[in-house]
Amino acid sequence: MDDFERAINAERGGVGAVRIRRGAGVAIRGNRMRAGAPVEMVQSFDEQPVQISPEKFVAADRSYFGIGYNPALTTAGGNLVAAGADRTKINFLPERPIEPMRWIMPSTITGLFINQIKINGTDLLPSDLGVPCELFSEVSTAPDIDWITINTTPGVQFYVSNPTGEALLFTGAFAGTQARS
């Protein structure tokens, strides 16, 4: 007798176990288990018709949302940040919600500091001390931060400082996914 035959003979069986008997061939012994609750048939019940509404398509396309020169962004002359200005607030209200992947600024802007970025009242930077805007340039190799969805209101607020002796334009673009219907 080999290992396989010893294993088959040692099998005690269970539900629907197969028993092999010498000389008798293969026999299937079905074990019945008694478990569960009794089942009663439901006679009938009222079915409500399914309500189908018209389809509404929502697209999510990759896009750029930028801040060019816009005098309405700040109370002190748009997104042109005055020389020596400290913590100028620039409010950006997109026309539709954005799921940004990256904020990109031109590498030609030097000297500005981003003190804080707020989305829906949430500070994205760990302190208000500021980071150089060059970290967000299109040629920067610095890892980007995790962005949260920017809604049309309250939008995103940038707090920037300009310690240089000349006015500098704060500009850039979000690369991400726009939501539209």
Side-chain angles (χ1 to χ4, degrees):
M1 179 182 303
D2 64 3
D3 290 338
F4 177 75
E5 290 177 317
R6 275 193 292 279
I8 292 293
N9 287 335
E11 174 64 37
R12 296 284 178 219
V15 176
V18 175
R19 298 295 256 167
I20 299 177
R21 296 191 183 118
R22 291 204 178 269
V26 178
I28 298 176
R29 182 187 73 186
N31 293 337
R32 292 176 45 176
M33 298 182 70
R34 301 195 189 274
V39 177
E40 293 182 18
M41 184 176 161
V42 177
Q43 297 300 323
S44 69
F45 56 92
D46 294 332
E47 292 185 38
Q48 299 296 323
V50 176
Q51 300 287 332
I52 299 175
S53 61
E55 291 180 338
K56 182 177 181 183
F57 297 99
V58 176
D61 304 322
R62 296 276 299 147
S63 187
Y64 292 95
F65 290 88
I67 300 175
Y69 175 68
N70 187 345
L73 292 176
T74 66
T75 55
N79 51 335
L80 188 62
V81 183
D86 187 36
R87 292 189 54 82
T88 300
K89 179 181 176 183
I90 298 173
N91 195 27
F92 175 56
L93 300 171
E95 294 174 9
R96 56 179 67 110
I98 309 168
E99 180 68 36
M101 293 181 64
R102 188 170 178 207
W103 166 252
I104 307 164
M105 295 183 69
S107 57
T108 56
I109 301 174
T110 58
L112 281 177
F113 288 90
I114 299 176
N115 297 97
Q116 192 55 263
I117 303 168
K118 287 189 180 196
I119 299 175
N120 300 331
T122 302
D123 292 343
L124 297 184
L125 299 178
S127 76
D128 290 345
L129 297 176
V131 295
C133 66
E134 291 90 349
L135 285 177
F136 298 100
S137 108
E138 78 277 8
V139 295
S140 174
T141 58
D144 210 10
I145 61 177
D146 288 331
W147 295 91
I148 58 178
T149 301
I150 302 171
N151 292 313
T152 55
T153 56
V156 59
Q157 293 81 41
F158 290 95
Y159 294 87
V160 290
S161 295
N162 180 5
T164 68
E166 61 184 74
L168 295 172
L169 183 65
F170 178 82
T171 185
F174 283 105
T177 306
Q178 64 177 335
R180 64 180 173 87
S181 56

